[in-house]
Amino acid sequence: MKTKTTLLSLLLVLISLNTTNAQVGIGTTSPDPSAQLELQSTAKGFLPPRLTTAQRDDNIVNPVEGLLIYNTSVKCLQWWVGNAWHDGCGDNPYLDYPDGTVFCASGPTELVEVTGAGGRVWMDRNLGASQVATSSTDAAAYGDLYQWGRAADGHQCRTSGTTATNATTAVPNAGNSWDGVFITESSSPLDWLTPQDNNLWQGVNGTNNPCPAGFRLPTETEWNTER
């Protein structure tokens, strides 16, 4: 009898949902007249589909206008309008960093700009640092431990694992055993990548540039000017 009652209730719900102009209320028996679907709760929220930017672009074909997702790459709700994805997260610090960046601390490094002696604009702290340095031995200002030319895939975190297997591609998070771990090397040229490539971080648009948008690593000349 319980099974029959359950099936009958489900059938009535399906009939209700398929009735033209029927309203649906979850947490309420009287949804607002202007809403097709209304959810009410004082203890829970609405959770939309969660996708990375890559999953969104690869898997959602011909999105309908108004389609809503939560983008886990940039930590932001996004919706499709016209011919592009939009969001209201203009001041979202995650948007300043390359897609796929792994943040070792609680979030992105605060972007505070200072102008140096040579007229260049610098970040006032290292990537991964929680504060501007108060001394040369201020551990909170040391930041993350990057291998030259590697993307911020998690290997730079002080708690990351290690491997003795050299990477054979500079592409991060490609499903390889070395993704997100620090690569140790005991033989020359003591590099994480085979073959070696010292040009991956060249310029603002350099491959694997881990810096926020518009920033890059300084040149030796720029370093010496500041010194």
Side-chain angles (χ1 to χ4, degrees):
M1 187 65 184
K2 182 178 179 181
T3 301
K4 290 182 179 179
T5 303
T6 302
L7 290 175
L8 179 59
S9 299
L10 178 60
L11 179 60
L12 291 175
V13 170
L14 291 175
I15 292 174
S16 175
L17 291 176
N18 283 282
T19 302
T20 303
N21 297 324
Q23 292 178 274
V24 179
I26 299 178
T28 177
T29 57
S30 55
D32 189 272
S34 66
Q36 186 70 17
L37 169 65
E38 180 178 347
L39 294 82
Q40 285 191 14
S41 175
T42 58
K44 295 180 174 63
F46 169 68
L47 187 62
R50 292 162 289 177
L51 297 82
T52 65
T53 298
Q55 290 170 332
R56 181 200 70 186
D57 295 341
D58 291 344
N59 301 330
I60 300 181
V61 180
N62 298 323
V64 64
E65 186 159 294
L67 187 69
L68 178 70
I69 67 164
Y70 179 78
N71 187 320
T72 58
S73 297
V74 298
K75 315 298 182 188
C76 190
L77 284 171
Q78 294 185 324
W79 52 90
W80 180 268
V81 177
N83 59 356
W85 290 99
H86 300 268
D87 58 55
C89 302
D91 59 350
N92 184 344
Y94 287 88
L95 297 174
D96 293 327
Y97 289 82
D99 184 26
T101 294
V102 173
F103 300 101
C104 304
S106 58
T109 305
E110 185 179 359
L111 204 171
V112 180
E113 298 180 358
V114 295
T115 302
R120 294 286 184 182
V121 176
W122 301 72
M123 286 182 65
D124 75 342
R125 67 202 65 193
N126 291 329
L127 289 177
S130 59
Q131 65 182 37
V132 64
T134 57
S135 70
S136 61
T137 58
D138 181 3
Y142 291 164
D144 298 330
L145 306 176
Y146 283 86
Q147 295 190 286
W148 187 266
R150 289 193 73 178
D153 62 352
H155 82 277
Q156 77 279 8
C157 302
R158 293 170 182 266
T159 57
S160 70
T162 62
T163 180
T165 301
N166 274 28
T168 56
T169 174
V171 179
N173 303 316
N176 297 301
S177 61
W178 55 79
D179 288 338
V181 296
F182 199 91
I183 297 173
T184 60
E185 177 57 80
S186 59
S187 59
S188 182
L190 300 177
D191 200 285
W192 63 277
L193 180 64
T194 302
Q196 187 179 41
D197 186 348
N198 287 327
N199 299 312
L200 294 171
W201 277 352
Q202 299 295 335
V204 172
N205 298 316
T207 303
N208 290 346
N209 176 20
C211 303
F215 284 81
R216 58 170 172 76
L217 270 71
T219 64
E220 184 176 2
T221 299
E222 290 166 343
W223 268 125
N224 287 330
T225 297
E226 295 304 320
R227 293 178 60 193

